[in-house]
Amino acid sequence: MTATIRIAIVDDHPMVAEGIEAILESYDDIEVVATLSSGQDIIDKAPALDPDVILLDLNMPGLGGLSTTEILLERRPDTRILILSMHDSPEYINSALGHGAMGYVLKDVPTDEIKRAIEAVSRGERYLCTGAKGSLTPDIRDGRVQLTNREQTILLQLALGKSNKAVAQSLEISVRTVETHRKNIKRKLGISSTAGLTRYAMEHGVLQGTGVSL
């Protein structure tokens, strides 16, 4: 028997959210555990809801989809996020993937494609709908994802010589979260040492204006 996929829908337009919920509930192997209207709602409720996949609108008032994705992944690194958006521009798609989303689906795709996207993301696979695939930059297509805004902030502080504890205190996050980001940054950049991170930061303008030199 196929395991049921637990879905949380996050969209600030009630008619859209309710429509998606009605569609997904028609499948026997999908359970909609919540329909929420803001990024803060899913951040607060994700631990209790424990969804397999979060279907997240990109543009919402207050905390947008990108910031919501970043915070969710900081707190729950195994979270699988599928962006559902009306925007098909490369900037939106590449940014969503760069922030850690597992998939990107346009709101006007057929219902069965949303279902396929959910199934793929739930298995840990990346999924892009047909209209989104052609918008990827070469770096994203080759699997080299840019650093998120949070990772760039942490890279700067690490390159300035701050300890994990000091970074955690300044950003009001846990030391474990900083350590996770540090590992992800090194993995993405292919760098193994702190000196290498500092050199990268200098060469790419991250430390511009700080006066730091090697």
Side-chain angles (χ1 to χ4, degrees):
M1 183 179 295
T2 303
T4 300
I5 304 172
R6 295 168 55 82
I7 302 292
I9 301 169
V10 187
D11 195 303
D12 63 305
H13 295 95
M15 291 184 64
V16 173
E18 291 168 8
I20 295 172
E21 179 181 15
I23 291 170
L24 295 181
E25 286 284 19
S26 68
Y27 295 102
D28 294 336
D29 56 346
I30 289 182
E31 177 189 0
V32 178
V33 297
T35 301
L36 307 172
S37 60
S38 73
Q40 192 61 56
D41 280 345
I42 188 60
I43 289 169
D44 293 339
K45 297 177 181 179
L49 294 172
D50 193 27
D52 297 312
V53 177
I54 296 174
L55 195 58
L56 182 64
D57 187 19
L58 194 60
N59 293 105
M60 296 181 290
L63 203 60
L66 295 182
S67 296
T68 300
T69 296
E70 194 167 298
I71 294 170
L72 283 168
L73 292 175
E74 272 186 5
R75 300 182 180 183
R76 298 168 59 84
D78 294 331
T79 301
R80 291 168 180 173
I81 297 173
L82 175 62
I83 297 294
L84 186 64
S85 173
M86 66 179 68
H87 301 288
D88 62 356
S89 68
E91 292 80 10
Y92 281 100
I93 298 167
N94 290 319
S95 186
L97 296 177
H99 278 73
M102 291 288 293
Y104 196 103
V105 175
L106 300 176
K107 289 187 176 182
D108 60 358
V109 301
T111 301
D112 60 345
E113 182 154 20
I114 296 177
K115 174 73 156 41
R116 288 198 301 273
I118 289 171
E119 290 172 339
V121 169
S122 72
R123 295 192 297 265
E125 302 170 6
R126 190 171 71 180
Y127 188 96
L128 299 174
C129 70
T130 304
K133 286 180 181 177
S135 297
L136 289 179
T137 64
D139 279 354
I140 297 293
R141 284 198 295 267
D142 292 342
R144 298 189 296 274
V145 181
Q146 294 179 344
L147 298 182
T148 66
N149 292 337
R150 175 66 91 179
E151 287 170 343
Q152 290 180 23
T153 299
I154 291 176
L155 170 61
L156 171 59
Q157 299 212 28
L158 293 173
L160 288 172
K162 292 188 177 182
S163 66
N164 289 346
K165 182 177 181 180
V167 175
Q169 290 174 340
S170 66
L171 298 179
E172 297 183 346
I173 57 179
S174 70
V175 173
R176 182 179 178 183
T177 296
V178 175
E179 291 172 347
T180 298
H181 279 301
R182 187 172 188 151
K183 289 178 182 177
N184 288 338
I185 292 168
K186 287 182 175 180
R187 174 180 54 79
K188 285 183 178 183
L189 301 180
I191 294 171
S192 59
S193 67
T194 299
L197 289 178
T198 304
R199 186 174 295 106
Y200 175 91
M202 291 190 67
E203 291 175 352
H204 290 78
V206 178
L207 290 174
Q208 187 173 0
T210 64
V212 173
S213 60
L214 286 175

